[in-house]
């Protein structure tokens, strides 16, 4: 009988535990037994283990003639798991991402946030004793100041917990913790260039971005002595980025209290002396004196204002309101507004670069038509370059320079082969050969290359960093083009002025210019770099000099406009 009595007692304990957890009271059935009474021990407040519910030694029967016994009196057992417990509330709320995530935070990152909290037992990261921790306050300060970094604070909404009362407080605190984590993760990814997908703007914008994973961000912030500084450090730490950030603050401080926002609609090109109904709008746009009603003359004052605007925006300052100038006006943006947008666009492209450019690295700034070699931040060599034409742009990306080729062959790219050679060869099969090119036929395919020599399109030397775009740096026989102020003439590769000095820099002491030049005319030779050098083909239309002056270069490929428009379209 002892075994059956214990089984009944276990059933009673389980029923009581289930009833307390689910909040439903259930009456226990009368269990026949020969024991006079059973005493259940009072369970712990936080948990009940049915193994702790054991019978005492049975007492003798009250009387031999009794047929049934009334059930014993049991103590009240209250078992509760409250939703206000932080870890329990988090575990419940984290499954419904609609209540805490952000629109631009993808499913992969949401899943990583869930995994992070699961690994820490669903304990809150930013809230303790019903309030934000000091660490949370530092994170929130960085998010609030996002505009100083060219980011939009509205993308990182701060959770509110003040004044929360009642049964929903635990749920609200859990949501607040998750929301702050989501905002911090999105900020960190945006700071490293996650706001835009460059290849969607142009197939020739292919930087290798370093976007941090959500779990890594939260681990780093959670372990940091100063989590605010750790979050802010996801922004580029390069000197030019910091200089542009300071210029952004200056431009915003100079913004007029009441900025005229006048939209100038599209229309025909306007020149000095022409009549057009848009002229009064242009006058209002630049704050010029109002003329008598009906005077729509595009006069000297209007043309001068347009010329000043063009000059400030890197356009030909001819005073003519054409399609390009009208587009630069941005449908009513002020000069300061346009400059602000361009600074932010350039800051955004700094985010696309690696955090570590390399102690010794090569940087080509396409709009500036310059190449520089830097060693621990110091410029040790710079030279003029020729870059791709607007219709054949030089791509933007980072790679590693590996070797140099002296006396290179020039393999005619497929695009040039199709557009320039094949049409002529269809009329004259000897067209390429008569111009000194080698024609190579393999079955139905054909390729053309130019042998080494004085007339070779690559000159005497080329600098190789194999990449998806098949571009490289090289010499050129057309030396006179380096004298031009604007040098966008190539099919996409970068032509370097004074290439043998550049070679001496990248190859080191073992290959002085004198040794390199002795190889000229002796067939194609490959020389490997003693140490691989990172190379970055960049696109910055705004740079800040050491004296703090902002220098503008022409937006030859319209990347500023693409980036600025894409950032506007985020909201």
């Amino acid at each position: 009988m002892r075994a059956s009595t214990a089984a009944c007692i276990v059933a009673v304990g389980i029923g009581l535990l289930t009833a307390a957890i689910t909040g439903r009271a259930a009456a226990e059935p009368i269990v026949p037994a020969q024991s006079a009474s059973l005493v259940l021990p009072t369970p712990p407040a936080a948990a009940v283990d049915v193994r702790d519910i054991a019978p005492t030694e049975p007492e003798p029967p009250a009387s031999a003639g009794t047929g049934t016994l009334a059930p014993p009196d049991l103590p009240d057992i209250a078992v509760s798991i409250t939703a206000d417990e932080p870890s329990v509330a988090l575990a419940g709320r984290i499954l419904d991402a609609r209540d805490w995530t952000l629109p631009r935070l993808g499913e992969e990152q949401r899943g990583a946030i869930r995994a992070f909290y699961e690994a820490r037992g669903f304990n809150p990261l930013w809230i303790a004793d019903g309030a934000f921790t000091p660490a949370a306050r530092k994170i929130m300060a960085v998010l609030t100041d996002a505009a100083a970094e060219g980011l939009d604070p509205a993308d990182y909404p701060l959770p509110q917990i003040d004044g929360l009362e009642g049964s929903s407080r635990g749920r609200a605190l859990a949501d607040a913790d998750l929301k702050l984590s989501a905002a911090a993760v999105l900020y960190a990814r945006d700071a490293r260039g996650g706001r835009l997908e460059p290849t969607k703007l142009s197939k020739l914008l292919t930087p290798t971005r370093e976007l941090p994973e959500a779990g890594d961000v939260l681990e780093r912030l959670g372990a940091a002595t100063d989590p605010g500084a750790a979050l802010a450090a996801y922004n580029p730490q390069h000197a030019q980025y910091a200089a542009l950030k300071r210029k952004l603050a200056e431009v915003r401080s100079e913004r007029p209290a009441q900025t005229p926002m006048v939209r100038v609609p599209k229309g025909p090109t306007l020149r000095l002396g022409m009549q057009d109904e848009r002229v009064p709008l242009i006058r209002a746009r630049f704050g010029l004196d109002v003329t008598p009603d009906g005077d729509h003359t595009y006069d000297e004052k209007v043309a001068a204002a347009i010329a000043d605007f063009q000059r400030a925006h890197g356009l030909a300052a001819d005073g003519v309101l054409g399609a390009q100038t009208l587009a630069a006006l941005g449908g009513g943006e002020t000069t300061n507004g346009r400059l602000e947008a361009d600074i932010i666009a350039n800051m955004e492209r700094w985010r696309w670069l690696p955090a570590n450019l390399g102690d010794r690295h090569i940087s080509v700034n396409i709009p500036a038509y310059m190449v520089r070699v830097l060693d621990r931040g110091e410029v040790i060599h710079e030279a003029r370059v020729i870059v791709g034409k607007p219709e054949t742009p030089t791509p933007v990306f980072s790679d590693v320079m590996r070797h140099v080729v002296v006396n290179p062959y020039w393999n005619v790219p497929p695009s040039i082969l199709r557009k320039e050679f094949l049409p002529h060869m269809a009329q004259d099969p000897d067209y390429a050969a008569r111009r000194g090119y080698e024609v190579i036929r393999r079955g139905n395919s054909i390729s053309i290359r130019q042998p080494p020599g004085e007339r070779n399109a690559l000159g005497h030397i080329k600098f190789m960093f194999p990449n998806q775009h098949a571009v490289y740096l090289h010499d050129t026989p057309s030396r006179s083009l380096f004298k031009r102020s604007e040098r966008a003439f190539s099919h996409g590769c970068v032509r370097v002025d004074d290439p043998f000095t550049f070679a001496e820099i990248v190859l080191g002491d073992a290959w002085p210019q004198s040794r390199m030049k002795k190889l000229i005319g002796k067939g194609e030779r490959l020389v490997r770099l003693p140490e691989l050098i990172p190379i970055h083909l960049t696109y910055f239309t705004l740079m800040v000099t050491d004296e703090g002056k902002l220098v503008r270069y022409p937006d030859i490929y319209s990347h500023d406009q693409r980036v600025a428009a894409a950032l506007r379209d985020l909201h």
Side-chain angles (χ1 to χ4, degrees):
M1 294 301 292
R2 180 172 299 180
S4 62
T5 303
C8 292
I9 296 169
V10 170
V12 171
I14 292 175
L16 290 169
L17 176 62
T18 303
I21 292 176
T22 59
R24 295 192 299 267
E28 294 295 328
I30 297 175
V31 181
Q34 294 183 356
S35 313
S37 64
L38 297 176
V39 179
L40 298 181
T42 303
V48 171
D49 190 329
V50 295
R51 292 173 297 180
D52 292 336
I53 307 176
T56 60
E57 289 296 324
E59 297 180 3
S63 65
T66 305
T68 59
L69 295 175
D73 293 331
L74 299 178
D76 293 333
I77 302 176
V79 181
S80 64
I81 299 178
T82 174
D84 287 335
E85 290 295 330
S87 60
V88 176
L90 268 169
R93 301 301 298 159
I94 202 167
L95 295 177
D96 194 351
R98 293 172 301 176
D99 289 329
W100 57 266
T101 194
L102 297 169
R104 289 195 293 107
L105 206 58
E107 178 54 40
E108 182 179 351
Q109 300 309 313
R110 294 197 293 268
I113 293 175
R114 293 188 194 102
F116 169 82
Y117 275 98
E118 182 178 6
R120 58 186 281 114
F122 298 105
N123 287 310
L125 181 61
W126 308 114
I127 292 176
D129 299 325
F132 285 121
T133 63
R137 297 292 181 186
K138 291 182 178 181
I139 292 292
M140 295 167 78
V142 173
L143 299 179
T144 302
D145 197 38
E149 302 286 350
L151 303 173
D152 189 344
D155 288 337
Y156 323 107
L158 302 181
Q160 300 295 326
I161 62 174
D162 294 337
L164 294 176
E165 300 293 345
S167 59
S168 63
R169 179 173 172 78
R171 167 178 167 171
L173 291 175
D175 283 350
D177 203 277
L178 291 166
K179 287 177 181 178
L180 188 55
S181 286
V185 167
L186 184 61
Y187 180 98
R189 289 175 63 81
D190 286 354
R192 292 303 307 135
R195 287 200 289 180
L196 304 178
E197 177 55 61
T199 55
K200 291 184 179 180
L201 306 182
S202 168
K203 63 181 181 180
L204 296 179
L205 294 174
T206 59
T208 304
R209 295 172 300 160
E210 300 172 341
L211 302 183
E213 294 300 317
D216 295 336
V217 172
L218 296 178
E219 287 284 357
R220 179 179 178 181
L221 299 183
T225 303
D226 185 345
L231 181 59
Y234 280 103
N235 290 291
Q237 302 300 298
H238 310 306
Q240 274 295 315
Y241 175 88
L244 287 173
K245 178 181 174 180
R246 291 192 292 271
K247 284 298 176 183
L248 178 63
E250 290 179 16
V251 169
R252 286 172 170 170
S253 68
E254 297 168 358
R255 181 185 297 157
Q258 292 184 339
T259 304
M261 297 298 289
V262 180
R263 179 178 294 277
V264 180
K266 295 181 180 179
T269 298
L270 296 181
R271 293 180 172 83
L272 187 63
M274 294 180 66
Q275 298 284 323
D276 193 281
E277 293 182 352
R278 295 173 295 165
V279 170
L281 294 176
I282 300 171
R283 286 183 169 278
R285 169 69 173 73
F286 291 103
L288 301 177
D289 295 337
V290 178
T291 58
D293 292 342
D295 187 353
H296 295 162
T297 305
Y298 193 84
D299 59 20
E300 292 182 355
K301 287 187 177 180
V302 176
I306 291 295
D308 289 341
F309 175 83
Q310 291 168 328
R311 193 174 295 109
H313 288 74
L315 304 173
D318 55 11
V320 175
L321 181 63
Q324 189 175 11
T325 301
L326 191 60
L329 285 171
E333 282 186 315
T334 63
T335 300
N336 267 18
R338 179 62 184 178
L339 179 57
E340 179 179 331
D342 287 346
I343 291 175
I344 293 174
N346 278 265
M347 292 173 71
E348 190 69 17
R349 288 193 292 272
W350 274 107
R351 304 181 195 281
W352 299 351
L353 284 169
N356 182 3
L357 300 177
D359 287 344
R360 185 181 179 91
H361 68 270
I362 300 164
S363 176
V364 177
N365 188 9
I366 297 167
Y369 308 112
M370 294 294 292
V371 60
R372 289 179 168 182
V373 182
L374 295 96
D375 193 341
R376 293 173 177 82
E378 180 184 354
V379 178
I380 60 175
H381 177 75
E382 65 179 3
R384 293 186 171 198
V385 297
I386 293 169
V387 301
K389 295 176 286 188
E391 58 269 26
T392 55
T394 297
V396 175
F397 67 102
S398 296
D399 214 295
V400 178
M401 186 173 288
R402 300 178 181 274
H403 60 269
V404 171
V405 178
V406 186
N407 305 316
Y409 278 89
W410 179 51
N411 297 291
V412 177
S415 59
I416 301 177
L417 183 64
R418 288 192 302 268
K419 294 178 182 178
E420 299 182 19
F421 279 83
L422 294 183
H424 287 288
M425 293 174 68
Q427 302 295 325
D428 177 8
D430 296 327
Y431 173 81
R434 285 190 292 101
R435 283 162 174 75
Y437 292 86
E438 298 176 2
V439 180
I440 302 168
R441 302 179 186 274
R442 294 185 179 89
N444 295 326
S445 66
I446 183 174
S447 61
I448 298 175
R449 69 178 186 176
Q450 187 181 32
E454 293 293 332
R455 297 174 57 189
N456 187 283
L458 305 183
H460 295 299
I461 188 170
K462 66 177 180 179
F463 305 86
M464 299 299 294
F465 40 101
N467 57 83
Q468 63 174 311
H469 302 289
V471 300
Y472 41 84
L473 274 59
H474 65 86
D475 184 16
T476 176
S478 305
R479 317 261 354 134
S480 62
L481 294 177
F482 287 109
K483 297 178 181 178
R484 305 275 190 93
S485 58
E486 297 185 1
R487 298 184 292 277
F489 301 118
S490 82
H491 286 85
C493 287
V494 179
R495 307 173 192 172
V496 183
D497 195 14
D498 195 7
F500 283 97
T501 299
F502 183 73
E504 187 176 50
I505 295 290
V506 300
L507 288 172
D509 297 338
W511 284 95
Q513 292 188 52
S514 56
R515 182 184 180 188
M516 185 70 62
K517 289 180 178 179
K518 288 179 181 178
L519 299 178
I520 295 176
K522 297 182 179 180
E524 189 172 79
R525 299 286 295 275
L526 184 148
V527 182
R528 298 190 185 281
L529 271 63
E531 184 177 335
L532 303 183
I533 303 179
I535 178 169
H536 310 284
L537 274 63
T538 67
Y539 192 93
F540 296 116
T541 58
L542 294 172
M543 301 289 285
V544 182
T545 66
D546 292 340
E547 295 74 30
K549 180 182 178 182
L550 187 65
V551 178
R552 181 185 285 274
Y553 301 107
D555 186 14
I556 53 179
Y557 303 153
S558 300
H559 289 330
D560 276 354
Q561 295 181 37
R562 290 188 181 93
V563 173
L567 291 176
R568 287 195 300 269
D569 290 344
L570 286 178
H571 306 99

